[in-house]
């Protein structure tokens, strides 16, 4: 028998060598989206309604060559109503809604085909006593793939792998105030719906982020040459932000939902798994803090925890810094030849600290102190390449330090636009963000926020997720700030995620504390100490096409598509600009939007990378090769929502047997609990009794029988995974 089996496999692989290919013989798609936003007061007669802004889209066909693939289609919209001043006792109200849907097919007439798809909705606003937003989105498709090449009817092996993500979440100050939900179904030929309700989420309750992501779900099918594979998907979402009772409103309210995934099919060749959603053991976050934060050496409210030098960059998480502070992994002394003010260790209070809220004119002190504003690490010297006006983009090459702009991380500015010397307060501890927000709270984990982006430019942000609070970024940034309070607030200024392969340091400085350097220039530092000078490599006017007064606020290098006809990627700088400082004559924004992420191929021109700006100032920017969804909070019970199954057994006389059947979607221990109280709160609790425990591997079909002398009443069963 072994010889027969071996012969069959040899024959199958021999036929596979005759160039079996996929042929797309049918593809139907439907995209529908609707968005509305309204920033007007919903409490007449205190203010006057100003109307509703809406937009919608639909598409019902793939386009040949769409989105750089064999077939592709996408649609998106953004509805925005900006600030209305002084309505209903609040200074700023605004509403923004984004929507996007896409589907692509690539690999027609080859032995490897990839189908990608996704929908996303995002609604955000600045004062929800005065706004309402909604986004709805649907995507359906059916794709027919024929197997061609070789003798008809001969068996072939189809390897397939699918990845899928779904998530919802948001911030709301009142239970049941806002809502979001999403549903998804993916049918893979005879395997049926492979998602099995594991990616369906709904909220309320609010403030909880629910998500699930599975990568490299492998399977194989036996098919014949001349046969056909049928794939279909159906996805829908709805996000709403609504008027709450009562006052006060939350400064920043948002809701988001997303479904996206990919199916890969290969004729004979094994499929390489995708990388896990992790930074791995060898990479680390690196950051700096802004002048005037709670734990920065210049904090005007002394409480003994002023330990960070704003000119240095630090490695995330720890260890705890000593009283008076310590230099970071990158000491600004190596930039300037000696350590500029503030100098760690010092204090507390730090004699060398910057004069926060002093009222001193900024030009008198901006070159006496140093504040690191942005950073990125590469593994090469940019000056060795030809770039600039009349030069083509630097073509893509292998490097572990640059990614494609799909997985970004941002930190928003936690103070107002004026400099830290402002008597009225414009530092993290004495002012809010431009919209009055306070970022970095423990409950929101929004000092660093993750963005899932769909390029090319103008790229759409199709999912945002909380990633790090202040204390998660570094133990010495604790305690995290409290809602509607700034005295404990810090502000991540520079930000990068990299490993030891990326050692060439690129940085920019803040106009508030430039220490004689140009805040519109990107500098490079290649190893060594102060004896090796920093070199300017990117100039504001020459390479980016900006005014010479600009202050570059955040930077990150990325590979971006510059010629879709030949699928050519080049080196680009992603960046943001500072908001214009009203205390200085120049325009530090260069008339750009500080909430937008811009891009440049370093050829003297810049363009918006995103299809819409954020309502807040993008203060720091980083990227990675994968999303890091596994790094943020999910509802604690159950550890994965789809592992909970509710079954109702009807009452009957005599001996009864209840048979429960469920699919284990993770390797875990599963508790079977029951109650006869239909209104019982979720387990655990006194109303619930444990019927048994089952250990199962991911994907197992579990059958569990329970016998009773009599079924005493209608009994509800729940199957809950115990987190490993």
């Amino acid at each position: 028998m072994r010889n027969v089996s071996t012969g069959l496999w040899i024959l199958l692989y021999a036929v596979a060598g005759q160039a079996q290919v996929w042929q797309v013989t049918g593809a139907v798609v439907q995209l529908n989206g609707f968005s509305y936003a309204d920033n007007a007061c919903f409490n007449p007669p205190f203010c006057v309604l100003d109307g509703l802004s809406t937009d919608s889209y639909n598409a019902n066909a793939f386009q040949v060559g769409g989105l750089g693939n064999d077939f592709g289609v996408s649609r998106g919209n953004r509805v925005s109503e900006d600030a209305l001043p002084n309505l209903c006792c609040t200074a700023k109200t605004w509403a923004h809604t984004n929507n996007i849907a896409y589907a692509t097919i690539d690999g027609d007439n080859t032995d490897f085909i990839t189908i990608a798809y996704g929908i996303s909705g995002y609604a955000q606003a600045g004062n929800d006593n005065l706004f309402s937003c909604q986004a709805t989105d649907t995507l359906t498709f059916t794709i027919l793939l024929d197997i061609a090449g070789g003798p008809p009817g001969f068996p072939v092996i189809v390897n397939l792998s699918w990845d899928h993500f779904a998530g919802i979440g948001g911030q709301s100050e009142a239970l049941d105030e806002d809502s979001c939900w999403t549903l998804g179904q993916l049918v893979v030929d005879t395997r049926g719906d492979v998602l099995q309700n594991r990616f369906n989420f709904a909220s309320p309750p609010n403030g909880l982020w629910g998500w699930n992501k599975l990568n490299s779900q492998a399977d194989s099918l036996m098919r014949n040459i001349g046969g056909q594979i049928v794939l279909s998907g159906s996805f829908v979402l709805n996000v709403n932000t609504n008027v709450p009772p009562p006052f006060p409103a939350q400064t920043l309210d948002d809701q988001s939902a997303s479904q996206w995934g990919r199916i890969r099919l290969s004729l004979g060749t094994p499929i390489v798994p995708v990388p896990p959603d992790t930074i791995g053991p060898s990479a680390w976050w690196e950051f700096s803090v802004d002048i005037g934060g709670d734990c920065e050496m210049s904090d005007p409210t002394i409480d003994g925890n002023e330990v960070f030098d704003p000119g240095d960059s630090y490695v995330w998480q720890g260890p705890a810094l000593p009283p008076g502070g310590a230099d970071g992994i990158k000491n600004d002394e190596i930039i300037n030849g000696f350590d500029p003010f503030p100098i760690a260790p010092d204090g507390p209070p730090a004699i060398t600290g910057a004069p926060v809220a002093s009222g001193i004119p900024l030009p008198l002190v901006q070159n006496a102190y140093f504040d690191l504003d942005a950073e990125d690490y590469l593994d090469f010297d940019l000056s060795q390449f030809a770039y600039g006006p009349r030069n083509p983009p630097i073509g893509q090459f292998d490097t572990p330090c640059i990614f494609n702009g799909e997985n970004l991380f941002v930190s928003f500015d936690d103070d107002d636009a004026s400099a830290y010397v402002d008597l009225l307060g414009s530092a993290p501890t004495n002012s809010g963000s431009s919209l009055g927000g306070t970022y970095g709270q423990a409950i929101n984990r929004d000092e660093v926020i993750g963005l899932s982006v769909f390029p090319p430019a103008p790229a759409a942000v199709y999912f945002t997720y909380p990633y790090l609070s202040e204390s998660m970024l570094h133990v010495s940034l604790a305690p995290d700030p409290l809602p509607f309070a700034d005295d404990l607030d810090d502000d991540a200024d520079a930000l990068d995620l990299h490993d030891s392969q990326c050692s060439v340091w690129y940085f920019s400085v803040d106009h508030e504390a430039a220490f004689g350097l140009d805040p519109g220039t990107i500098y490079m530092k290649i190893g060594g100490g102060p004896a090796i000078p920093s070199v300017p490599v990117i100039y504001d006017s020459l390479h980016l096409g900006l005014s010479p007064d600009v202050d570059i606020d955040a930077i990150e290098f990325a590979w971006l598509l510059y010629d879709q006809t030949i699928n050519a990627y080049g080196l680009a700088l992603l960046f943001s600009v500072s908001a214009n400082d009203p205390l200085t004559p120049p325009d530090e924004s260069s008339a750009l939007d500080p909430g937008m992420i811009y891009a440049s191929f370093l050829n003297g021109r810049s363009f918006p990378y995103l299809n819409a700006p954020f309502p807040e100032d993008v203060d720091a920017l980083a990227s990675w090769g994968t999303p890091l969804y596994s790094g943020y909070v999910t509802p604690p019970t159950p550890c994965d929502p789809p592992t909970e199954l509710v079954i109702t057994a009807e009452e009957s006389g005599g001996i009864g047997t209840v048979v429960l059947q469920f699919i284990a979607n993770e390797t875990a221990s599963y508790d079977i609990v029951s109650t006869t109280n239909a209104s019982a709160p979720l387990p655990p609790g006194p109303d619930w009794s444990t019927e048994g425990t089952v250990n199962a591997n991911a994907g197992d079909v579990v059958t569990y029988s329970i016998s009773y002398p009599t079924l005493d009443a209608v009994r509800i069963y729940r199957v809950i995974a115990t987190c490993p």
Side-chain angles (χ1 to χ4, degrees):
M1 186 65 181
R2 178 177 299 175
N3 291 338
V4 173
S5 176
T6 302
L8 174 62
W9 281 102
I10 292 173
L11 186 56
L12 290 177
Y13 279 113
V15 173
Q18 299 178 24
Q20 283 73 55
V21 297
W22 295 107
Q23 291 184 344
V24 180
T25 55
V28 178
V29 67
Q30 183 69 48
L31 287 67
N32 296 97
F34 172 77
S35 299
Y36 81 73
D38 197 347
N39 65 359
C41 180
F42 284 83
N43 297 301
F46 299 107
C47 60
V48 179
L49 296 174
D50 72 335
L52 186 71
S53 296
T54 66
D55 195 9
S56 63
Y57 60 76
N58 64 79
N60 57 14
F62 284 100
Q63 300 169 346
V64 176
L67 303 176
N69 296 268
D70 291 332
F71 308 95
V73 61
S74 71
R75 292 291 186 273
N77 61 30
R78 179 177 185 266
V79 175
S80 176
E81 290 198 353
D82 294 322
L84 294 179
N86 302 315
L87 286 181
C88 296
C89 310
T90 185
K92 294 181 179 179
T93 65
W94 47 270
H96 303 281
T97 303
N98 284 323
N99 236 353
I100 186 173
Y102 69 92
T104 63
I105 308 170
D106 205 36
D108 189 25
N109 289 306
T110 73
D111 64 353
F112 194 101
I113 200 161
T114 301
I115 296 160
Y117 54 86
I119 56 174
S120 175
Y122 183 57
Q124 186 184 60
N127 186 317
D128 60 358
N129 279 290
L130 303 170
F131 81 88
S132 180
C133 305
Q134 184 186 73
T136 61
D137 217 344
T138 60
L139 165 66
T140 60
F141 62 80
T142 300
I143 300 170
L144 310 181
L145 303 176
D146 286 1
I147 304 171
F154 203 89
V156 293
I157 301 170
V158 174
N159 290 313
L160 69 90
S161 179
W162 59 269
D163 318 308
H164 193 83
F165 170 86
I168 62 168
Q171 302 179 61
S172 302
E173 64 270 53
L175 188 66
D176 298 337
E177 171 201 338
D178 303 323
S179 65
C180 53
W181 57 266
T182 186
L183 304 172
Q185 184 180 65
L186 178 64
V187 177
V188 180
D189 206 68
T190 55
R191 291 293 189 258
D193 178 21
V194 296
L195 303 186
Q196 299 169 346
N197 297 318
R198 291 173 290 179
F199 297 85
N200 298 341
F201 296 95
S203 177
N206 295 290
L208 294 177
W209 289 79
W211 67 279
N212 192 14
K213 187 173 193 295
L214 293 177
N215 279 343
S216 304
Q217 302 300 294
D219 198 355
S220 61
L221 304 170
M222 291 298 300
R223 291 294 184 269
N224 298 321
I225 295 175
Q228 188 176 80
I229 297 286
V230 180
L231 308 169
S232 64
S234 176
F235 310 95
V236 60
L237 62 82
N238 183 291
V239 297
N240 293 272
T241 51
N242 301 308
V243 179
F247 284 87
Q250 181 162 301
T251 303
L252 184 66
D253 231 28
D254 60 53
Q255 296 288 307
S256 64
S258 184
Q259 293 259 2
W260 60 265
R262 175 177 70 166
I263 317 165
R264 296 177 292 166
L265 299 103
S266 171
L267 293 170
T269 305
I271 298 175
V272 177
V274 300
D277 292 353
T278 177
I279 67 172
S282 62
W284 64 88
W285 285 97
E286 195 169 310
F287 69 97
S288 72
V289 298
D290 198 9
I291 288 177
D294 175 52
C295 298
E296 189 270 327
M297 296 173 62
S298 312
D299 179 17
T301 56
I302 306 300
D303 48 19
N305 64 346
E306 294 77 24
V307 294
F308 288 94
D309 181 339
D312 292 4
S313 62
Y314 294 82
V315 175
W316 75 323
Q317 295 186 334
L321 301 181
D327 290 327
I329 189 174
K330 276 288 189 293
N331 184 356
D332 50 5
E333 181 179 1
I334 69 172
I335 299 173
N336 300 288
F338 59 91
D339 205 349
F341 288 174
I343 301 174
D346 185 10
I351 298 174
T352 60
V356 175
S358 63
I360 298 174
L362 183 64
L364 297 181
V365 295
Q366 66 185 147
N367 289 320
Y369 299 88
F370 184 73
D371 183 12
L372 180 67
D373 209 18
E375 65 179 349
D376 194 14
Y377 283 83
L378 303 180
D379 59 346
F380 60 86
D381 178 350
L382 180 63
S383 67
Q384 301 304 305
F385 292 82
Y387 60 98
R390 296 185 298 278
N391 281 288
I394 298 171
Q396 186 173 5
F397 54 87
D398 289 336
T399 170
C401 309
I402 302 178
F403 306 101
N404 59 7
E406 293 183 4
N407 305 292
L408 301 180
F409 299 86
V410 298
S411 181
F412 293 128
D413 200 359
D414 248 345
D415 54 33
D416 212 343
S418 58
Y420 66 85
V421 295
D422 192 343
L423 272 173
L424 299 179
S426 189
T429 52
N430 59 23
S431 72
S433 70
S434 61
L435 293 172
T438 302
Y439 293 97
Q441 300 172 42
I443 190 172
N444 295 330
R445 296 178 68 164
D446 57 0
E447 185 62 31
V448 178
I449 298 171
L451 310 177
S452 294
V453 181
F454 183 57
V461 176
Y462 63 85
F463 194 65
T464 67
Y465 55 98
Y467 187 61
L468 296 175
S469 69
E470 290 180 7
S471 62
M472 295 172 66
L473 191 57
H474 197 284
V475 62
S476 290
L477 289 174
D480 292 318
L482 301 174
F484 309 109
D486 295 313
D487 59 313
L488 299 177
D489 193 19
D490 285 285
D491 186 15
D493 213 4
L495 189 68
D496 194 42
L497 175 57
H498 63 95
D499 61 23
S500 59
Q501 300 176 86
C502 313
S503 60
V504 182
W505 191 36
Y506 295 82
F507 66 91
S508 71
V509 303
D510 195 325
H511 81 281
E512 295 181 335
F515 205 71
L517 298 180
D518 182 0
T521 294
I522 311 301
Y523 295 87
M524 177 185 70
K525 184 79 168 66
I526 303 180
I532 301 177
S534 302
V535 179
V537 290
I538 298 175
Y539 293 96
D540 39 27
S541 300
L542 177 64
H543 297 111
L544 306 179
L546 307 179
S547 75
D549 296 323
V550 71
D551 181 352
I552 301 295
D553 209 8
I555 62 170
E556 181 71 13
F557 289 95
W559 299 121
L560 298 186
L561 182 69
Y562 71 88
D563 190 337
Q564 186 168 314
T565 61
I566 59 174
N567 201 36
Y569 285 77
L571 182 67
L573 179 72
L574 301 179
F575 67 93
S576 68
V577 298
S578 290
N580 184 34
D581 185 345
L583 300 183
T584 62
D587 181 357
E588 288 83 6
S589 72
S590 191
L592 299 180
D593 190 327
M596 172 59 75
I597 297 176
Y598 294 92
S600 173
F601 290 110
L602 311 181
N603 56 3
R605 296 187 299 273
S606 300
F607 55 92
Y609 176 57
L610 302 181
N611 67 347
F614 291 98
E616 296 275 35
D617 182 345
V618 176
D619 198 25
L621 179 63
S623 70
W624 195 239
T626 69
L628 297 176
Y629 301 129
S630 56
Y632 70 83
V633 170
T634 59
T637 306
C639 52
D640 193 357
T643 62
E644 181 181 293
L645 180 69
V646 181
I647 298 176
T648 300
E650 297 296 335
E651 181 180 1
S652 64
I655 297 175
T657 299
V658 176
V659 179
L660 309 179
Q661 188 175 74
F662 63 94
I663 297 174
N665 70 335
E666 58 186 273
T667 299
S669 175
Y670 291 83
D671 292 331
I672 293 93
V673 297
S674 71
T675 184
T676 56
N677 181 2
S679 61
L682 290 175
D687 294 300
W688 296 90
S689 58
T690 301
E691 304 290 349
T693 300
V694 178
N695 294 320
N697 296 318
D700 287 353
V701 178
V702 180
T703 301
Y704 192 85
S705 299
I706 306 171
S707 296
Y708 297 92
T710 60
L711 289 177
D712 49 359
V714 174
R715 185 170 286 272
I716 299 170
Y717 296 85
R718 288 185 180 267
V719 181
I720 302 176
T722 302
C723 295

